[in-house]
Amino acid sequence: MSGPLRWPVHPAPNDGEALSSWLRRIAGCYGTDIEHLGDDIGYKIDAGDLDDVDLAPPPGMIEVLAERTGVAPARLRQMSVAGSVPWLLDDMEPGPEGFPTYTRQLSVLRPAGKQKARVVPSWRPWLPDRLPARGCPECVAESPSPHPYRLLWAIPIVSSCLAHGCWLEATLAARSYFGMWDFDRPAPSPAPQHVLTLDQRTRDAFAVGHVELPRRRVHAGIWFRLLRTVVDELSCPLSENRPADTGTIRQIWKEAGYPARDGQGLWRPFEQQPETVQRHTMEAAAVTIALLEAGTITGRGCGAHLFLPEPDLELGDGRTPAEFSKSQPDNLKALGQALEEAIQAAREDPAEAQALYAFALIGCRTPESVTRLRADFAELGIPLEILSLTDGQASFA
Ligand SMILES: [Zn+2]
């Protein structure tokens, strides 16, 4: 390979664009294809299988592309799924411990700790073996060929295009190629508001690292796990739930317009479901959140309250908590402010989270109090996945 020559012409990456899509557009500038572009930078890229590039580019490729284009490596990393580790997923490598760690630490519809244990060998969240080939008909119509492809279209965690308010549609061709649509483009079909609301939150989690819920802001790492927990609760065989929870889950599916569990007989994790079942399940998850927020259903899990509005608290003497706090001596005010700052820092910085957790753990004398502490951290929007999972086995004095 010759030295790191800069490509004199290249399009800037679009907001949210997948890495393979941008490479295809660069190749288009030079009248070549993505395979030849790969040869030029010393990497084999299979045009028929772009998943490798969009999941996790091979080591060194980001740095070479940064040299060739002048685009910052951090920006390029965000164009593949690996750029979202550890928030969207703990690790790109599938593993047997991933499923319970990711989907069972939180709870929304069912009481915590009541789920039947499941072992899913070689699992990672949200990613099917083959990434789906979907797109927004309007976005594609508005863009010149070769049409850019958004990374989120390839992850079944969203179902709609927020810019156009419509469902994503299967492209009927290899992912990132829209040849069929040049002749027969599907008509855009409006997505319901509850789906758009859910997808807006998920987009926010990717774009800004947090989501504003009615009660408080939660970290993206919590949001992705909370959503996958709801998906799990909606997908489990109904006989595994207590009757009251079964009734709620049936009500949600009915409201979504589908049979319970979308009529699936056997249990399989969401990632291994057919695409239509995935879409219906995400729609049911959106209905779940809308019903929780409206107070129509009550979730019995520890995370359900996140979807309730902040209560208008008044103390016995009619003062709000903020007014009460203002009236406190300065040293207590300072303590409260220091704690607030420590919590905010822990939401954003894993090292701060670990330090605060270690400090809070000093007061825990029983396994139950550790469980409570972890629930409190989740409620405060501090990501749990960065905390040591072995502290549950710590010895208690
Ligand atoms: Zn669109």
Side-chain angles (χ1 to χ4, degrees):
M1 191 181 121
S2 58
L5 296 174
R6 261 202 188 198
W7 289 317
V9 184
H10 60 264
N14 285 350
D15 184 31
E17 186 172 13
L19 186 58
S20 70
S21 164
W22 183 56
L23 294 180
R24 247 168 28 87
R25 291 198 300 125
I26 294 175
C29 284
Y30 293 94
T32 184
D33 58 31
I34 194 167
E35 288 185 47
H36 284 99
L37 193 81
D39 292 342
D40 187 39
I41 57 171
Y43 288 91
K44 179 164 169 33
I45 302 175
D46 182 354
D49 187 6
L50 302 173
D51 284 4
D52 290 345
V53 173
D54 289 335
L55 285 170
M61 186 195 248
I62 292 287
E63 287 69 23
V64 173
L65 288 172
E67 277 186 28
R68 289 294 182 103
T69 62
V71 179
R75 170 88 178 81
L76 297 179
R77 263 189 276 281
Q78 292 304 314
M79 298 174 75
S80 68
V81 174
S84 293
V85 171
W87 306 133
L88 179 65
L89 62 175
D90 296 308
D91 193 327
M92 287 306 291
E93 285 304 315
E97 295 303 318
F99 183 79
T101 306
Y102 196 94
T103 68
R104 300 291 171 85
Q105 289 199 43
L106 299 173
S107 55
V108 176
L109 294 171
R110 305 185 293 189
K114 296 292 180 195
Q115 308 92 335
K116 179 182 168 186
R118 287 193 186 281
V119 177
V120 186
S122 191
W123 179 87
R124 61 186 175 186
W126 299 115
L127 302 173
D129 287 341
R130 287 199 67 77
L131 300 182
R134 305 178 299 169
C136 164
E138 297 274 38
C139 285
V140 171
E142 287 174 2
S143 62
S145 185
H147 308 283
Y149 190 93
R150 298 185 73 92
L151 183 60
L152 270 187
W153 291 352
I155 311 175
I157 195 171
V158 295
S159 322
S160 65
C161 169
L162 294 170
H164 297 104
C166 59
W167 290 105
L168 299 178
E169 304 286 346
T171 62
L172 307 174
R175 190 166 61 73
S176 209
Y177 292 86
F178 295 98
M180 300 283 279
W181 284 14
D182 288 338
F183 307 100
D184 188 14
R185 187 167 60 92
S189 167
Q193 186 54 50
H194 51 266
V195 169
L196 296 174
T197 302
L198 172 62
D199 286 352
Q200 177 68 59
R201 287 169 171 168
T202 302
R203 277 278 296 276
D204 289 347
F206 279 102
V208 295
H210 60 252
V211 175
E212 301 290 348
L213 291 184
R215 186 154 289 199
R216 65 168 53 92
R217 171 183 291 187
V218 298
H219 187 282
I222 297 286
W223 172 252
F224 298 136
R225 285 155 182 78
L226 199 61
L227 185 53
R228 187 61 183 79
T229 298
V230 171
V231 165
D232 182 51
E233 292 174 332
L234 291 169
S235 308
C236 280
L238 295 177
S239 59
E240 292 179 10
N241 302 315
R242 300 202 298 197
D245 302 327
T246 300
T248 304
I249 291 168
R250 274 190 199 285
Q251 183 185 352
I252 292 164
W253 278 106
K254 190 165 178 232
E255 193 79 26
Y258 304 111
R261 305 175 64 229
D262 204 30
Q264 295 297 292
L266 291 174
W267 182 88
R268 278 187 289 180
F270 171 82
E271 293 74 14
Q272 294 171 20
Q273 299 280 12
E275 278 183 40
T276 48
V277 178
Q278 289 176 343
R279 173 163 143 173
H280 295 169
T281 305
M282 292 310 289
E283 204 177 335
V287 167
T288 303
I289 292 168
L291 293 178
L292 284 170
E293 289 184 356
T296 310
I297 59 169
T298 305
R300 303 207 296 160
C302 62
H305 70 282
L306 289 168
F307 298 104
L308 297 175
E310 193 79 70
D312 287 329
L313 275 181
E314 261 188 20
L315 304 176
D317 57 6
R319 285 180 298 173
T320 65
E323 288 164 346
F324 174 76
S325 171
K326 264 190 219 149
S327 71
Q328 293 304 299
D330 281 349
N331 59 345
L332 279 186
K333 265 194 276 189
L335 182 64
Q337 194 180 347
L339 184 59
E340 192 53 47
E341 284 170 5
I343 290 169
Q344 189 54 39
R347 286 178 181 135
E348 292 161 5
D349 182 345
E352 296 281 355
Q354 194 74 55
L356 183 63
Y357 187 66
F359 176 70
L361 209 54
I362 295 169
C364 295
R365 293 275 175 257
T366 62
E368 291 73 31
S369 59
V370 173
T371 305
R372 236 180 357 257
L373 176 66
R374 296 183 71 85
D376 288 344
F377 266 54
E379 193 182 318
L380 286 165
I382 301 172
L384 284 162
E385 70 278 11
I386 54 182
L387 305 175
S388 162
L389 293 174
T390 57
D391 54 41
Q393 288 97 50
S395 60
F396 294 96

